[in-house]
Amino acid sequence: SRPLTNVYIVGAGTYGQIFGRYFDKHQIAWEGYVDRNSRQGPIHGKKVISYREAGNEDAYYIISSYIYRDEMMKELIDCGVREDRLVLYETKDTIYECYEDTVHWKTYTEKLKTYRALYKGKRCFVIGNGPSLTIEDLEKLKGEITFACNSIYALYEHTAWRPTFHCAWDETFCKKMMSEKEDVEWMTSNCEAFFTNIMSEGFAYRDCEDIRNLYYVKDVRGSDGKISLPLFSDDCSRQVYSSGTIAYMMLQLAVYMGFEEMYLLGMDCSFSVEKYSDGSVTRNDVRDHNHLIQQMEEGQ
């Protein structure tokens, strides 16, 4: 068979750029990206075209997203791309293999082993950012071992409490708060250890000698295959399993560290938009407002 020519990576996000770096390292020729946001301009010297510009009969299109691949395929086919010109991968492992080949992330997740069973038999508090969380709650936790996440830092100016462990996986949060080294230094200075995804912006600081308490975890989606319950990791230095909320990842870390008593705080389990099995949707605009900001505005 003839070699691939005119190769495009569909999706210019994190996964697409991992493929791009892999191709460049192995001198695999490729033309550029296909992305809805084609106006963003070149990425690492490669052009970005829109779905409407795809459809070159001699081109192949590599779908970079495992989760949204069906939507990407449909949009490409609707724009005239033949199905036999689409290249897919079956599991997220393909992405991780390419990523390991270029940045050797396994070396960094091994660092987490220093925490294995370190707190055996002790108790901890796992804190969510739900509307029920108050400053008074946090004040009572001084001296306790705590896990907190994402924008909990918004409350720091109102309390002397600081989390023992701060976790951040949310893509939007990481792009906003972990793109600048100064911000990362500030957040890591307010906790014993900061845990984030190997694919987050924080991974850029993995070799910084002055940021020693950054820890990296590989997160994957996985279920038991029977009733679609999420898997639970028994070795966080290898991977943790995602399940719609960062709290689930924090619980896996807590078990890995040996905690036997775990108390949940601020876990409201409610959202501003809720979808039900019958397809109906309800919206509670009151919960749209960030309760962390609301507490600061009210001076609580």
Side-chain angles (χ1 to χ4, degrees), residues 36 51 63 65-74 221:
R36 288 194 179 96
Y51 279 82
I63 308 293
S65 174
Y66 174 67
I67 299 174
Y68 300 109
R69 63 180 184 179
D70 290 341
E71 292 91 330
M72 289 177 163
M73 286 176 57
K74 182 180 185 306
R221 292 174 180 264

Side-chain angles (χ1 to χ4, degrees), residues 227-244:
I227 54 176
S228 298
L229 289 176
L231 295 173
F232 196 93
S233 178
D234 60 0
D235 186 355
C236 292
S237 70
R238 295 183 60 192
Q239 62 191 17
V240 296
Y241 293 99
S242 58
S243 181

Side-chain angles (χ1 to χ4, degrees), residues 11-13 17 33-43 48-49:
Q17 291 181 41
Y33 295 99
V34 177
D35 197 90
R36 288 194 179 96
N37 186 18
S38 59
R39 290 180 293 179
Q40 63 186 307
I43 297 177
V48 183
I49 66 173

Side-chain angles (χ1 to χ4, degrees), residues 118-137:
L118 187 62
Y119 296 92
K120 188 173 179 61
K122 296 188 177 182
R123 75 175 188 177
C124 70
F125 292 79
V126 181
I127 302 169
N129 294 337
S132 65
L133 184 67
T134 67
I135 297 296
E136 289 74 16
D137 292 332

Side-chain angles (χ1 to χ4, degrees), residues 215-228:
Y215 291 81
Y216 302 101
V217 178
K218 167 191 174 184
D219 88 273
V220 298
R221 292 174 180 264
S223 67
D224 61 7
K226 298 176 182 178
I227 54 176
S228 298

Side-chain angles (χ1 to χ4, degrees), residues 5-264:
T5 58
N6 295 328
V7 173
Y8 286 88
I9 297 172
V10 185
T14 300
Y15 295 172
Q17 291 181 41
I18 287 172
F19 276 135
R21 289 196 293 271
Y22 180 85
F23 290 167
D24 288 342
K25 177 181 177 180
H26 294 279
Q27 299 182 333
I28 299 171
W30 60 293
E31 296 295 320
Y33 295 99
V34 177
D35 197 90
R36 288 194 179 96
N37 186 18
S38 59
R39 290 180 293 179
Q40 63 186 307
I43 297 177
H44 305 305
K46 292 291 185 177
K47 64 183 178 182
V48 183
I49 66 173
S50 67
Y51 279 82
R52 293 189 303 275
E53 296 174 277
N56 186 328
E57 291 186 359
D58 293 325
Y60 287 85
Y61 299 88
I62 298 175
I63 308 293
S64 68
S65 174
Y66 174 67
I67 299 174
Y68 300 109
R69 63 180 184 179
D70 290 341
E71 292 91 330
M72 289 177 163
M73 286 176 57
K74 182 180 185 306
E75 191 157 356
L76 286 168
I77 292 172
D78 288 346
C79 289
V81 176
R82 300 204 320 262
E83 193 167 348
D84 63 352
R85 293 284 167 160
L86 302 178
V87 180
L88 313 174
Y89 59 95
E90 293 302 319
T91 70
K92 197 174 177 179
D93 288 341
T94 303
I95 283 288
Y96 283 120
E97 288 169 6
C98 291
Y99 199 43
E100 170 64 18
D101 184 79
T102 54
V103 301
H104 308 299
W105 56 263
K106 292 179 182 178
T107 302
Y108 299 93
T109 58
E110 288 284 307
K111 182 181 174 182
L112 193 62
K113 288 183 176 180
T114 59
Y115 276 104
R116 180 158 200 159
L118 187 62
Y119 296 92
K120 188 173 179 61
K122 296 188 177 182
R123 75 175 188 177
C124 70
F125 292 79
V126 181
I127 302 169
N129 294 337
S132 65
L133 184 67
T134 67
I135 297 296
E136 289 74 16
D137 292 332
L138 299 179
E139 291 289 342
K140 294 175 183 178
L141 294 178
K142 293 175 183 176
E144 298 283 357
I145 300 173
T146 56
F147 290 79
C149 60
N150 294 334
S151 57
I152 192 69
Y153 68 86
L155 300 181
Y156 287 175
E157 64 179 298
H158 300 279
T159 175
W161 169 86
R162 294 293 184 270
T164 313
F165 305 114
H166 193 162
C167 302
W169 269 268
D170 181 76
E171 183 177 350
T172 301
F173 173 85
C174 290
K175 283 183 177 180
K176 178 182 178 182
M177 289 302 299
M178 303 192 76
S179 295
E180 299 294 333
K181 184 179 179 182
E182 182 179 334
D183 292 329
V184 175
E185 288 176 324
W186 178 75
M187 286 191 294
T188 55
S189 70
N190 281 288
C191 60
E192 176 184 312
F194 195 105
F195 299 92
T196 190
N197 192 318
I198 56 171
M199 290 185 182
S200 77
E201 274 66 17
F203 197 62
Y205 310 104
R206 59 192 178 275
D207 294 321
C208 290
E209 290 293 326
D210 51 341
I211 308 179
R212 295 181 176 274
N213 61 334
L214 262 177
Y215 291 81
Y216 302 101
V217 178
K218 167 191 174 184
D219 88 273
V220 298
R221 292 174 180 264
S223 67
D224 61 7
K226 298 176 182 178
I227 54 176
S228 298
L229 289 176
L231 295 173
F232 196 93
S233 178
D234 60 0
D235 186 355
C236 292
S237 70
R238 295 183 60 192
Q239 62 191 17
V240 296
Y241 293 99
S242 58
S243 181
T245 171
I246 190 172
Y248 192 69
M249 297 179 182
M250 292 194 289
L251 287 171
Q252 289 171 80
L253 286 170
V255 171
Y256 180 74
M257 292 182 184
F259 292 104
E260 294 183 6
E261 289 184 56
M262 287 163 275
Y263 299 91
L264 306 184

